[in-house]
Amino acid sequence: MAEFFQETNAQFRRWMLHLKREPFTLAFTLLNPIILLIFMGGAFQGLASDSVGGDYRSYLLPGILALTVFGNSIAGGIPLLFERENGFLLRLMSAPISRGSILVSRFLAVNVSTMLQCLLMLVLGLLFGVRIATGVGGVFALLVISLLLGFGVTVISLVLAFRLENHGDFFAVMGITTLPLTFLSSAFVPLDSLPAWMRAVAAVNPMTYAVDAMRSLILTGWDAPRLLLMAIVLIAFDAAMFWLGRRALSRHLA
Amino acid sequence: MSEPVVRIENLSKAYGIVTALDGISLEVKGGKIFGLLGPNGAGKTTTVKILATLIRPDGGKAEVAGVDVLTDPAKARSLVGYISQELTVDPYLTPLEHLRYYADLYHVPAALRQLRIRDALALVGLAGLEDRRARHLSGGTKKKLDLACGLIHRPPVIILDEPSLGLDVEVRRDVWNHILRLKEEGTTIFLCTNYMDEAERLCDELAIIDHGKIAALGSPAELKGRLKREIVSVEVARGKEASGEWLATLETAAARLSMVRKAVKDGAILKLYVDNNEAALPKILEAAASLKIPLESIAYSRPGLDEVFLHFTGRAFARGGENDG
Ligand SMILES: Nc1ncnc2c1ncn2[C@@H]1O[C@H](COP(=O)(O)OP(=O)(O)O)[C@@H](O)[C@H]1O
Ligand SMILES: [Mg+2]
């Protein structure tokens, strides 16, 4: 156990050093959600205020948070795939470490960086006049929801990092999942305004439940039934991904 | 004397239809440098990846310091320092951070950490560069850092897969010296190489590998000794109009001598592969005199590993590396 901690901690520290020493990458990953918040929020304010009732930026913020979480988590495995390609990972595997430590450290690093980004997005939202109905407790709850959504998605990404052939495939998978999955949820528009088939997909998209819960925390207040539904769906999603991920990787990381 | 530190028995491995290893067996004695010498694609990397527990063989056995790498990989990993063919430094980290990283991966206790890191840095001559990001280090320095990372847990066995690949001549020498220092400290070294001179300079024992099979085993001197041939190099008088003609005439004449196995022109020099140079020299001089061909010089030498490789595999050594040193 002490050894597992030592290994995992060392790897986690390395990922954090990368984060610290790649400030441009960090800045660029933040740029997208910021642009969405500023421009999309501004552009659709007039159009949307009737259908969403009130400030579109407040309405949009949960959607952007969810998109940030999804994008960050699904990309989380990429460094591992690069290191699989350049031999660093193999070198690592020749050390007497638990294979789990590779996954756990990357998992932690991805989610810590997601939390930091979410926090920044929330601060930015506040600067643009978004008010959070549930206050400081709500901010904390928003981060917990982000984490619940990020968990399962990060597991998917780690599986892809070991099961895909090369990083080109990885980028392709990311490209064709991120935006459609975001639009096939309640991230940007109310579910009722979607066509029936999109609504059906959105209903089984975990992102919808995360966004709905976040939105209620920002716009209206503590909504226990909604939060409970979100928790059940996301925990089930995380558990399912964890179980599948274990199965998918047990052979690859023997 | 003592038990072998690395033991490989009838190891085989195929990738799809490509047979990478076709039943190789070998033993490495403690405290020696053992070289696996062969051209690209011979199966060297496959062999050491099996030793480093990174791939499983289709058949056979492999042991490191008495531990079976197949049944107890975790134990085997702690006994081996594996330095792969590719550079595996992290451009974002400094040498100090690398060593700290690997110290933790090999569970070096905190109390020993500083000491081990300092020793490793000193051994490969990296003192003074420890705080520079690896992206700013030269290729040779990166390789030395790789080496240092593999030493941090003081493993009894170090595996080096083509350590001087892509390094320039001076850095190669430097890396060789560090490898020899490691041996002096009692470490057993398993070295894959594509370079004859590297094998000759470093290795106590050699296995020549070709197409996944061991073609010959022994010390460089033994291998050369088993090859009874010696080489007489004859140079005809330089800068004369007829030099080229003389060389060709002499080649034909020499090839007819009974003790000459083979005559090969190498630039302006005629290389004669003979069974016994003491008997051959006078005959060659006689032939040249009777043909009235003036000679510039004549010398004889023992065969190098190039000839050994040719002898045991039946083909010339096809090198894949970028430099010859
Ligand atoms: N992952 C792989 N998939 C398919 N073939 C491989 C793989 N790795 C090595 N080979 C093949 O196995 C043979 C031995 O390769 P290798 O052990 O890398 O040789 P060396 O290190 O001596 O150059 C070569 O023919 C090579 O092409
Ligand atoms: Mg190789």
Side-chain angles (χ1 to χ4, degrees):
Chain A
M1 201 59 217
E3 290 191 343
F4 184 79
F5 179 76
Q6 194 181 13
E7 292 147 28
T8 308
N9 187 28
Q11 292 173 70
F12 176 74
R13 277 200 320 266
R14 187 171 76 91
W15 294 125
M16 289 295 112
L17 282 174
H18 276 205
L19 201 62
K20 204 172 101 190
R21 291 177 186 172
E22 274 184 314
F24 284 110
T25 313
L26 193 61
F28 277 111
T29 51
L30 277 173
L31 208 58
N32 234 345
I34 291 172
I35 287 173
L36 279 178
L37 187 66
I38 297 174
F39 296 113
M40 199 164 156
F44 295 116
Q45 177 65 48
L47 266 180
S49 54
D50 288 343
S51 54
V52 303
D55 178 30
Y56 186 58
R57 278 209 182 98
S58 301
Y59 184 86
L60 193 58
L61 187 60
I64 294 176
L65 280 176
L67 179 62
T68 305
V69 171
F70 187 90
N72 215 41
S73 302
I74 197 74
I78 288 175
L80 282 178
L81 180 46
F82 274 119
E83 298 194 340
R84 231 183 86 206
E85 289 173 327
N86 70 20
F88 194 92
L89 192 74
L90 215 56
R91 171 75 184 82
L92 181 66
M93 307 254 283
S94 74
I97 57 170
S98 143
R99 279 28 190 156
S101 72
I102 299 170
L103 301 174
V104 171
S105 61
R106 184 65 207 156
F107 178 85
L108 290 174
V110 172
N111 285 292
V112 164
S113 105
T114 305
M115 288 303 98
L116 288 175
Q117 290 191 32
C118 287
L119 214 55
L120 264 162
M121 292 308 304
L122 285 170
V123 169
L124 223 85
L126 291 179
L127 293 179
F128 275 94
V130 173
R131 290 294 165 263
I132 294 167
T134 45
V136 178
V139 170
F140 182 73
L142 286 169
L143 291 180
V144 171
I145 298 171
S146 302
L147 206 56
L148 285 175
L149 177 63
F151 185 107
V153 181
T154 310
V155 172
I156 295 174
S157 180
L158 293 178
V159 171
L160 292 178
F162 285 95
R163 296 297 290 262
L164 292 181
E165 283 297 314
N166 57 61
H167 66 267
D169 292 356
F170 204 123
F171 285 112
V173 170
M174 263 170 53
I176 58 170
T177 52
T178 309
L179 272 184
L181 274 179
T182 311
F183 279 105
L184 290 170
S185 77
S186 56
F188 298 129
V189 291
L191 273 191
D192 311 335
S193 64
L194 292 174
W197 72 270
M198 281 177 76
R199 225 178 305 153
V201 178
V204 294
N205 185 348
M207 220 189 289
T208 298
Y209 297 87
V211 171
D212 285 351
M214 287 176 171
R215 191 164 283 147
S216 71
L217 290 168
I218 293 178
L219 297 179
T220 53
W222 298 101
D223 182 344
R226 195 182 286 281
L227 292 177
L228 188 67
L229 177 65
M230 174 277 301
I232 291 171
V233 171
L234 290 187
I235 289 172
F237 167 67
D238 292 342
M241 290 307 114
F242 186 72
W243 184 76
L244 286 173
R246 261 187 93 98
R247 278 183 54 127
L249 291 184
S250 59
R251 198 168 52 83
H252 281 254
L253 283 170
Chain B
M1 200 179 71
S2 56
E3 280 286 286
V5 172
V6 177
R7 196 205 304 264
I8 286 176
E9 238 179 77
N10 205 19
L11 217 50
S12 63
K13 172 80 191 172
Y15 298 101
I17 55 159
V18 180
T19 302
L21 291 179
D22 194 1
I24 70 166
S25 300
L26 55 88
E27 285 188 353
V28 180
K29 291 193 206 78
K32 301 278 188 213
I33 302 184
F34 183 92
L36 200 54
L37 172 70
N40 280 340
K44 303 181 296 295
T45 299
T46 304
T47 307
V48 291
K49 276 188 178 165
I50 292 170
L51 284 178
T53 74
L54 297 173
I55 51 179
R56 292 182 71 85
D58 299 334
K61 259 185 81 170
E63 263 179 37
V64 177
V67 175
D68 187 326
V69 303
L70 295 173
T71 57
D72 197 356
K75 183 86 193 294
R77 284 174 194 135
S78 67
L79 297 169
V80 169
Y82 168 68
I83 292 103
S84 63
Q85 192 174 323
E86 301 89 17
L87 278 177
T88 56
V89 300
D90 180 335
Y92 292 102
L93 266 55
T94 66
L96 205 58
E97 285 159 352
H98 276 89
L99 291 166
R100 172 70 207 268
Y101 180 68
Y102 281 105
D104 282 334
L105 297 187
Y106 284 94
H107 313 121
V108 173
L112 280 176
R113 193 159 54 213
Q114 281 317 104
L115 184 71
R116 290 284 181 84
I117 290 178
R118 211 164 345 107
D119 283 356
L121 283 171
L123 189 104
V124 300
L126 272 178
L129 292 172
E130 55 265 55
D131 290 320
R132 193 174 302 181
R133 301 248 177 105
R135 70 157 76 248
H136 302 304
L137 300 174
S138 68
T141 310
K142 283 183 196 159
K143 195 71 213 184
K144 290 185 211 166
L145 176 56
D146 254 351
L147 187 57
C149 291
L151 308 176
I152 196 80
H153 57 303
R154 300 267 169 90
V157 181
I158 297 267
I159 295 174
L160 288 159
D161 195 351
E162 303 203 28
S164 58
L165 191 71
L167 301 184
D168 58 41
V169 183
E170 259 165 71
V171 183
R172 282 179 76 192
R173 295 262 152 72
D174 205 15
V175 168
W176 287 354
N177 288 333
H178 297 311
I179 295 172
L180 289 168
R181 279 250 286 289
L182 269 179
K183 176 186 150 177
E184 277 164 30
E185 295 185 356
T187 310
T188 306
I189 295 163
F190 194 105
L191 174 108
C192 297
T193 184
N194 198 340
Y195 296 109
M196 296 289 182
D197 55 342
E198 185 163 85
E200 252 185 309
R201 171 88 175 82
L202 296 178
C203 299
D204 301 301
E205 295 284 323
L206 266 181
I208 293 179
I209 183 169
D210 194 32
H211 294 309
K213 282 199 170 90
I214 303 284
L217 269 167
S219 70
E222 266 167 29
L223 290 177
K224 283 187 281 185
R226 261 195 264 164
L227 191 71
K228 281 288 180 276
R229 271 177 227 170
E230 292 163 298
I231 300 164
V232 177
S233 305
V234 187
E235 193 183 4
V236 298
R238 252 173 288 187
K240 297 277 166 28
E241 216 176 295
S243 293
E245 199 181 309
W246 288 335
L247 200 63
T249 316
L250 192 58
E251 184 186 0
T252 322
R256 276 202 293 266
L257 294 173
S258 63
M259 64 279 289
V260 174
R261 290 290 185 86
K262 203 163 66 156
V264 184
K265 263 192 302 205
D266 185 4
I269 292 176
L270 185 63
K271 281 192 167 176
L272 303 173
Y273 292 76
V274 301
D275 288 333
N276 176 344
N277 69 64
E278 278 162 34
L281 262 177
K283 295 278 185 222
I284 294 164
L285 287 172
E286 223 169 82
S290 71
L291 291 164
K292 301 212 162 40
I293 295 174
L295 297 183
E296 186 77 36
S297 69
I298 186 157
Y300 68 88
S301 57
R302 306 275 301 156
L305 281 175
D306 276 294
E307 280 83 21
V308 173
F309 188 84
L310 178 71
H311 176 78
F312 286 109
T313 65
R315 51 196 200 90
F317 192 85
R319 191 194 303 289
E322 301 105 291
N323 54 28
D324 298 351

